[in-house]
């Protein structure tokens, strides 16, 4: 073999090895809802190190964030998520209905594939100048309420149902009175952002409104980022148990050859190191050990559930957020 041919052969082998290395690099996409940026930024670093130690593979994890309903639609429309970590089960069910996710996805991991929980709280300006203590206060005419749009935001749907459950109890299930309460509340909403993080910006940075309805974890982030000297958290007398689920987008993961890494990514969310990261970022961990370590962050409040109080997400969506349902009725001009 001539030196030239040897060089060509060597170059070809090196090229094939390079291509093989590139092909061997794994990259998976986690499509998530608005306020999880900080949580997954830290968790991803932990999981990349874990995966490298376990398999020797370099793993890259990409994130996409936005309103949960909007994110679900993006996946259906072609955003090739390997996994989704969304705000509510209904959004994952919609993706599953298109054949991208197994219809029994909720059974694949503990707690119906919800590795953490949260709830809905109020953020007010320091000193609480408008004396906002509970949902009743949100219908006063001089109160500006900031909440996202339930049509695009999962957090907004939790906000809406938490307010509805309070009114439902207050008015002994008198629907006309509950609807009147909700209509008055939304008259006090000056702007509907598409997601929870957008509403946080509207309230905290742009200084619009007197109270922000938001995830518990997002309220902690606002205090950390903007200062406890500017804002404080109010826990209402009654809220809702929010259970944000996670799921494997099998069709895409198989296509990208990330099936095993994606499964491990979701399973690892239940590990003790991950549960501690979850608690650190203001989500209520499933692990009793992690919860106990951070329990002073999480006051005990009365919480209704989507299944017991609203008949599950299919019924909640139909009754409240579908076209012509209660939200459209109370928000109509």
């Amino acid at each position: 073999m001539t030196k030239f041919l040897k060089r060509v052969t060597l170059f070809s082998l090196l090229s094939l090895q390079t291509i093989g290395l590139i092909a061997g690099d794994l990259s998976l996409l986690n499509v998530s809802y608005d306020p999880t940026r900080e949580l997954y930024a830290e968790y991803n670093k932990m999981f990349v190190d874990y995966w490298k130690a376990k398999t020797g593979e370099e793993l890259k994890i990409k994130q996409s964030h936005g309103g949960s309903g909007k994110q679900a639609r993006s996946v259906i429309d072609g955003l090739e998520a390997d996994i989704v970590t969304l705000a509510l089960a209904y959004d994952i069910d919609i993706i599953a209905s298109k054949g991208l996710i197994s219809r029994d996805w909720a059974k694949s991991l503990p707690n119906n594939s919800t590795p953490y929980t949260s709830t809905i709280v109020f953020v007010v300006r320091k000193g609480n100048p408008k004396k906002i203590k509970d949902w009743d206060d949100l219908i006063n005419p001089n109160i500006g309420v900031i909440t996202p749009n339930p049509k695009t935001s999962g957090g907004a749907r939790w906000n809406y149902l938490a307010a509805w459950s309070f009114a439902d109890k207050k008015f002994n299930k008198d629907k006309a009175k509950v609807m009147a309460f909700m209509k008055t509340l939304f008259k006090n909403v000056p702007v509907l952002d598409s997601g929870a993080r957008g509403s946080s910006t509207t309230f905290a940075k742009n200084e619009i409104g007197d109270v922000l309805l938001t995830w518990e974890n997002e309220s902690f982030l606002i205090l950390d980022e903007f200062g406890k000297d500017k804002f404080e958290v109010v826990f209402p007398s009654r809220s809702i148990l929010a259970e944000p689920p996670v799921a494997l987008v099998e069709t895409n993961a198989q296509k990208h050859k990330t099936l095993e890494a994606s499964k491990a990514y979701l399973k690892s969310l239940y590990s003790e190191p991950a549960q501690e990261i979850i608690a650190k970022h203001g989500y209520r961990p499933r692990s009793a050990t992690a919860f106990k370590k951070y329990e002073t962050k999480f006051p005990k409040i009365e919480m209704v559930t989507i299944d017991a109080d609203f008949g599950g997400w299919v019924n909640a969506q139909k009754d409240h957020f579908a076209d012509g349902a209660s939200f459209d009725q109370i928000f109509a001009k």
Side-chain angles (χ1 to χ4, degrees):
M1 185 181 290
T2 65
K3 288 183 178 180
F4 175 75
L5 287 175
K6 285 181 179 179
R7 286 174 183 169
V8 171
T9 303
L10 179 61
F11 177 78
S12 298
L13 287 171
L14 289 172
S15 297
L16 287 171
Q17 286 173 353
T18 301
I19 292 169
L21 286 172
I22 293 171
D25 287 346
L26 288 180
S27 178
L28 65 85
L29 174 60
N30 175 7
V31 172
S32 195
Y33 64 106
D34 242 352
T36 60
R37 290 169 174 83
E38 295 76 16
L39 165 62
Y40 284 112
E42 184 169 352
Y43 173 69
N44 289 349
K45 291 177 183 177
M46 185 206 84
F47 186 77
V48 165
D49 291 343
Y50 161 78
W51 192 252
K52 173 72 173 177
K54 180 180 180 181
T55 68
E57 292 179 318
E58 297 288 347
L59 177 65
K60 295 180 180 178
I61 303 173
K62 299 176 182 178
Q63 290 291 135
S64 173
H65 297 273
S68 186
K70 189 176 180 181
Q71 291 290 80
R73 175 51 56 186
S74 294
V75 173
I76 292 169
D77 290 342
L79 181 59
E80 293 193 356
D82 298 276
I83 55 179
V84 288
T85 55
L86 297 178
L88 43 92
Y90 183 81
D91 290 332
I92 296 182
D93 284 337
I94 288 294
I95 302 172
S97 73
K98 304 301 180 181
L100 297 172
I101 294 174
S102 171
R103 286 185 177 271
D104 63 351
W105 61 267
K107 298 178 181 178
S108 63
L109 291 165
N111 306 112
N112 292 318
S113 292
T114 58
Y116 46 83
T117 69
S118 190
T119 191
I120 301 304
V121 301
F122 305 162
V123 180
V124 298
R125 304 193 188 281
K126 188 64 178 179
N128 196 3
K130 296 294 182 74
K131 308 301 180 188
I132 297 166
K133 296 295 183 184
D134 214 339
W135 297 97
D136 268 351
D137 300 314
L138 306 187
I139 63 173
N140 292 335
N142 66 333
I143 300 295
V145 179
I146 303 300
T147 183
N149 189 341
K151 293 288 190 175
T152 55
S153 167
R157 277 174 272 181
W158 289 116
N159 292 352
Y160 184 95
L161 295 178
W164 183 284
S165 71
F166 174 87
D168 196 49
K169 181 179 180 181
K170 177 181 176 66
F171 298 115
N172 197 27
K173 299 187 180 300
D174 186 322
K175 187 175 180 181
K177 290 181 179 179
V178 174
M179 290 284 284
F181 177 93
M182 297 298 291
K183 188 169 185 176
T184 304
L185 190 160
F186 274 87
K187 280 183 179 179
N188 289 344
V189 178
V191 58
L192 286 172
D193 292 290
S194 63
R197 186 55 57 87
S199 285
S200 294
T201 300
T202 294
F203 178 75
K205 187 174 181 180
N206 300 338
E207 299 184 345
I208 298 172
D210 302 296
V211 57
L212 172 69
L213 311 185
T214 193
W215 298 94
E216 182 178 45
N217 59 282
E218 186 78 353
S219 74
F220 299 147
L221 183 65
I222 289 171
L223 266 60
D224 289 341
E225 184 172 341
F226 293 94
K228 294 179 181 179
D229 60 328
K230 293 183 179 179
F231 301 98
E232 58 188 73
V233 179
V234 172
F235 290 85
S237 65
R238 180 181 175 93
S239 193
I240 193 165
L241 178 66
E243 297 180 288
V246 302
L248 174 70
V249 188
E250 292 158 312
T251 302
N252 293 337
Q254 288 175 345
K255 176 182 176 181
H256 302 155
K257 302 187 187 308
T258 61
L259 194 60
E260 292 309 311
S262 297
K263 286 180 178 179
Y265 182 95
L266 296 179
K267 184 178 180 181
S268 184
L269 283 168
Y270 293 83
S271 69
E272 284 301 325
Q275 288 284 296
E276 185 157 334
I277 290 172
I278 284 165
K280 174 183 170 184
H281 286 277
Y283 297 84
R284 299 188 177 215
R286 292 294 191 179
S287 161
T289 302
F291 186 88
K292 185 172 181 59
K293 185 173 180 179
Y294 288 87
E295 66 180 337
T296 55
K297 294 181 70 170
F298 307 119
K300 291 182 180 179
I301 58 175
E302 180 187 357
M303 294 189 202
V304 300
T305 67
I306 192 71
D307 290 333
D309 294 81
F310 295 96
W313 267 113
V314 171
N315 287 324
Q317 181 70 22
K318 175 174 64 70
D319 294 341
H320 298 286
F321 309 117
D323 291 345
S326 74
F327 174 72
D328 282 354
Q329 293 172 36
I330 66 100
F331 201 70
K333 293 184 179 179

